[in-house]
């Protein structure tokens, strides 16, 4: 929202704010403040989004979602503004500021309220803050640029191109970036440097950086645009992106105080609105509310994403554990080989290593195409099956027999660990799928619940996310809660049991530890008197 659009919005907003009552102040986001006001016989919400990127001021009919805990600035604004009426409102449109003077609280004279946070300043650059007095330059009219007459076409083009220069931004607040872009598109600004091979005095009619062939209609449109903006009245133009399906228009993305040229409009659709407040509300609800919903969705998905990352790291650790357990399982082959040569060693023999025959390499490897019958190649002597050996390292503190028993023991441990690991990996994979699904579609506040009042099963969430309180079911609710597995057999159909509580007697279950059916509750209903 540039200064010219802010001027048209404030032209309709200032009379509406005079005499209204501020009821509540919220900060849905760090750069958004909302003031709930009572004006024109109904409640409305004045929303201000400040900052350098896409600031906006509009009047909404719905309150945006607010955080549960307001910050210190919001509490300070509530202290000085809540419940007070606006006795005067003013606009400083060149610097995009709106000032509200508050009436003194009930029971205090007007003199006591002067200089005690009686003014609130809504700045599209800095936000909402309390002041004791208005700035000295508040409400000062800007100086509009002076253009040569239309008869001097070259001088007029030169003046318009000078207005489009970026160096004039800070000197003249009227020349907003959006206005300079529009003027540049209408006039056709070239490079401000002299062309190669030219001299300052080479052409007196065509200055440097100006092609001299700017369209006459564009120059006249630029002059007419400046005249219209000087009056401060007129329609506003809302631009929407094309719909993905190609039918109809999509979400609005820009609001302008003048019609954009074709080069800046692109393939967007244009809507003309007589009321600047209505157009600003359409853009604000599409931009600010969508941004708040995205922020809430991101915050809701944060614990799911964190849990998904933790589960992925856990799967990597499980892979490392599987490799370790398979190494233990492979020791069974060493134990079997050691068992085959155990007769060669004394029962109390302690050796650092033992050489055993390698059964895996005992068969000779014949070349391919040698035939089905196992016969040695020509020119060789059949010396019997090849015998290869391998070395098994042992623990010298244990005997050979004890080393063999330890190998079988570790192999059994590896086999049991692999069975447990497969079950654990399946559980982690299932929790990871649930966490990724929750990160893709997180449950945000205000969404529909299939069974209200029940706490969702978030066993895969971290402990901080599991502490969310469940919404209790009202006494007159028709939603039937899930029957508890541990209490279904101990229903108390008559009077209240020892557990207390205010649930209906005919549907409440005893939440005490399970007892034998013969015991029942300690409190029983007295027999009816006849």
């Amino acid at each position: 929202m540039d200064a010219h659009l802010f001027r048209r919005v404030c032209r309709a907003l200032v009379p509406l704010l005079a005499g209204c009552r501020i009821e509540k102040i919220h900060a849905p986001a760090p750069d958004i403040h909302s003031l709930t006001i009572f004006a024109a016989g109904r409640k409305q919400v004045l929303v201000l989004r400040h900052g350098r990127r896409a600031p906006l001021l509009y009047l909404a009919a719905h309150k945006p979602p607010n955080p549960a805990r307001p910050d210190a600035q919001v509490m300070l604004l509530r202290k000085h503004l809540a419940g007070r009426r606006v006795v005067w409102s003013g606009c400083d449109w060149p610097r995009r500021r709106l000032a509200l003077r508050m009436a003194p609280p009930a029971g205090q004279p007007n003199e006591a309220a002067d200089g005690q946070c009686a003014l609130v300043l809504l700045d599209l650059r800095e936000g909402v803050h309390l002041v004791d007095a208005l700035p000295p330059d508040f409400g000062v009219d800007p100086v509009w640029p002076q253009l040569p007459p239309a008869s001097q076409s070259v001088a007029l083009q030169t003046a318009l191109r000078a207005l489009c220069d970026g160096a004039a931004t800070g000197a003249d607040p009227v020349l907003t970036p959006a206005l300079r872009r529009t003027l540049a598109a209408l006039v056709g600004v070239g490079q401000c440097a002299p062309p190669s091979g030219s001299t300052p005095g080479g052409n007196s009619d065509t200055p440097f950086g100006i092609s001299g062939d700017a369209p006459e209609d564009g120059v006249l449109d630029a002059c007419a645009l400046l005249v219209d903006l000087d009056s401060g009245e007129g329609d506003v133009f809302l631009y929407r992106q094309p719909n993905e399906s190609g039918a109809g228009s999509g979400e609005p993305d820009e609001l302008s105080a003048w019609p954009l040229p074709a080069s800046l409009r692109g393939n967007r659709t244009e809507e003309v609105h007589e009321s600047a407040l209505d157009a600003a509300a359409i853009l604000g609800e599409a931009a600010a509310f969508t941004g708040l919903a995205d922020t809430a969705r991101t915050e809701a998905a944060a614990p799911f994403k964190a849990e998904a990352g933790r589960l992925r790291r856990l799967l990597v650790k499980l892979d490392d554990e599987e490799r370790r357990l398979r190494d233990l399982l492979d020791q069974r082959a060493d134990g079997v080989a050691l068992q085959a040569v155990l007769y060669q060693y004394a029962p109390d023999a302690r050796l650092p290593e033992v050489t055993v025959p390698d059964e895996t390499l005992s068969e000779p490897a014949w070349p391919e195409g040698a035939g089905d019958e196992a016969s040695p190649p020509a020119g060789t002597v059949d010396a019997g099956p090849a015998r290869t050996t391998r070395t098994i390292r042992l623990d010298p503190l244990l005997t050979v027999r004890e080393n063999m028993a330890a190998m079988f023991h570790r192999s059994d441990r590896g086999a049991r660990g692999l069975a447990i690991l497969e079950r654990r990996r399946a559980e982690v994979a299932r929790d990871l799928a649930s966490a990724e699904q929750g990160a893709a579609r997180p449950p945000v506040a205000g969404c529909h619940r299939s069974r209200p009042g029940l706490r969702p099963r978030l066993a895969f969430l971290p402990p901080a996310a599991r502490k969310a309180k469940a919404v209790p079911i009202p006494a007159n609710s028709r939603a039937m809660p899930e029957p508890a597995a541990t209490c279904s057999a101990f229903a108390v159909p008559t009077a209240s049991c020892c557990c207390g509580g205010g649930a209906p007697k005919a549907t409440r279950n005893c939440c005490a530890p399970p007892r034998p059916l013969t015991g029942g509750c300690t409190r029983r209903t007295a027999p009816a008197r006849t």
Side-chain angles (χ1 to χ4, degrees):
M1 176 177 285
D2 67 339
H4 302 285
L5 183 60
F6 181 78
R7 181 185 185 183
R8 299 192 181 183
V9 171
C10 289
R11 185 180 292 271
L13 185 61
V14 167
L16 186 63
L17 293 178
C20 72
R21 183 178 70 251
I22 298 179
E23 296 188 353
K24 205 71 172 179
I25 299 97
H26 294 92
D31 60 340
I32 297 179
H33 286 83
S34 64
L35 283 71
T36 304
I37 62 175
F38 187 82
R42 60 191 178 95
K43 287 186 178 181
Q44 302 182 66
V45 182
L46 182 63
V47 183
L48 171 68
R49 184 173 68 178
H50 60 89
R52 292 179 177 270
R53 183 176 179 271
L56 192 61
L57 177 68
Y58 63 97
L59 201 60
H62 305 282
K63 183 173 61 176
N66 300 301
R69 296 182 179 179
D71 55 6
Q73 183 191 12
V74 174
M75 297 302 295
L76 179 63
L77 293 175
R78 289 181 181 180
K79 175 183 177 181
H80 293 283
L81 302 180
R84 301 175 67 177
R85 289 190 176 273
V86 178
V87 296
W88 173 86
S89 60
C91 172
D92 182 22
W93 67 268
R95 284 155 286 276
R96 298 181 298 176
R97 294 181 295 189
L98 179 66
L100 304 177
R101 184 179 298 276
M102 312 306 299
Q108 293 186 9
N110 295 338
E111 294 79 5
D114 293 340
Q116 297 181 3
C117 302
L119 285 171
V120 56
L121 202 63
L122 285 73
D123 194 338
L124 262 66
R125 185 75 173 270
E126 304 296 337
V128 182
H129 51 277
L130 302 171
V131 295
D132 294 334
L134 292 177
D137 58 348
F138 187 88
V140 177
D141 293 333
V143 178
W144 285 87
Q146 300 295 328
L147 297 177
S151 59
Q152 303 177 7
S153 59
V154 177
L156 182 59
Q157 293 182 22
T158 305
L160 290 175
R161 293 174 190 272
L163 295 180
C164 301
D165 190 7
T169 305
D172 196 347
V174 174
L175 299 174
T176 62
L179 180 58
R180 292 201 322 274
R181 288 193 298 266
T182 303
L183 294 178
L186 292 175
V187 180
V189 175
Q191 298 294 332
C192 293
S196 59
S198 62
T199 58
N203 188 0
S204 59
D205 296 334
T206 304
F208 295 142
I210 300 178
S211 60
D213 56 353
E216 183 178 357
D217 295 341
V219 174
L220 296 179
D221 291 343
C223 297
L225 175 59
L226 293 177
V227 173
D228 292 341
L229 293 179
D230 191 5
S231 64
E233 297 180 355
D235 300 334
V236 294
F237 302 86
L238 182 67
Y239 295 91
R240 295 178 180 268
Q241 289 288 349
N243 198 359
E244 297 179 357
S245 60
S249 57
E251 294 292 333
D253 63 344
E254 187 175 357
L255 185 62
S256 177
W258 58 85
L260 298 179
S263 58
L264 298 179
R265 182 172 63 249
N267 58 349
R268 296 179 296 179
T269 59
E270 182 181 84
E271 297 180 3
V272 182
H273 293 265
E274 296 182 0
S275 174
L277 278 179
D278 296 342
I282 295 175
L283 179 63
E285 292 183 358
F289 282 32
T290 303
L292 292 176
D294 294 341
T295 303
R297 191 176 295 105
T298 302
E299 294 178 355
F304 292 93
K305 292 182 179 179
E307 184 66 10
R310 187 188 69 84
L311 293 175
R312 292 190 189 96
R313 294 191 297 269
L314 182 56
L315 286 178
V316 174
K317 293 181 180 180
L318 291 179
D319 294 339
D320 297 339
E321 182 67 14
E322 181 181 7
R323 287 190 290 268
R324 188 186 70 85
L325 293 176
R326 291 197 179 279
D327 292 341
L328 294 180
L329 186 62
D330 293 342
Q331 293 188 14
R332 177 173 293 274
D334 295 343
V336 173
L338 190 60
Q339 186 181 21
V341 298
L342 192 61
Y343 66 92
Q344 301 178 5
Y345 304 98
D348 56 349
R350 290 178 169 83
L351 300 175
E353 59 183 21
V354 171
T355 302
V356 297
D358 192 359
E359 301 294 338
T360 59
L361 301 177
S362 60
E363 297 182 358
W366 305 109
E368 296 182 0
D372 297 337
E373 297 181 359
S375 58
T380 60
V381 180
D382 188 5
R387 304 291 294 180
T388 58
T389 60
R390 61 188 180 94
T391 302
I392 301 177
R393 296 185 178 275
L394 304 178
D395 186 1
L397 299 179
L398 303 177
T399 62
V400 178
R401 186 181 298 273
E402 291 173 348
N403 276 281
M404 179 195 66
M407 291 177 184
F408 284 119
H409 177 68
R410 288 192 291 268
S411 177
D412 294 340
R413 289 178 54 192
R416 293 192 301 269
L418 286 175
I420 298 174
L421 185 138
E422 292 300 329
R423 294 195 299 269
R424 178 58 177 162
R425 180 183 280 119
E427 295 176 358
V428 173
R430 183 172 60 253
D431 293 346
L432 178 59
S434 301
E436 290 177 347
Q437 182 180 3
R441 301 181 60 183
V444 296
C447 63
H448 173 71
R449 296 183 179 181
S450 58
R451 300 182 67 88
L454 298 179
R455 183 169 180 171
R457 298 179 180 179
L458 303 177
F460 52 88
L461 288 179
R466 299 179 194 153
K467 295 181 180 179
K469 295 183 179 180
V471 179
I473 302 178
N476 56 355
S477 176
R478 296 185 179 181
M480 296 301 294
E482 292 181 350
T486 57
C487 305
S488 59
F490 301 94
V492 183
T494 56
S496 60
C497 67
C498 57
C499 304
K505 301 177 181 179
T507 59
R508 191 172 52 81
N509 295 335
C510 179
C511 56
R515 303 179 182 179
L517 294 178
T518 56
C521 296
T522 56
R523 295 179 57 185
R524 299 182 181 276
T525 307
R529 298 182 179 179
T530 57

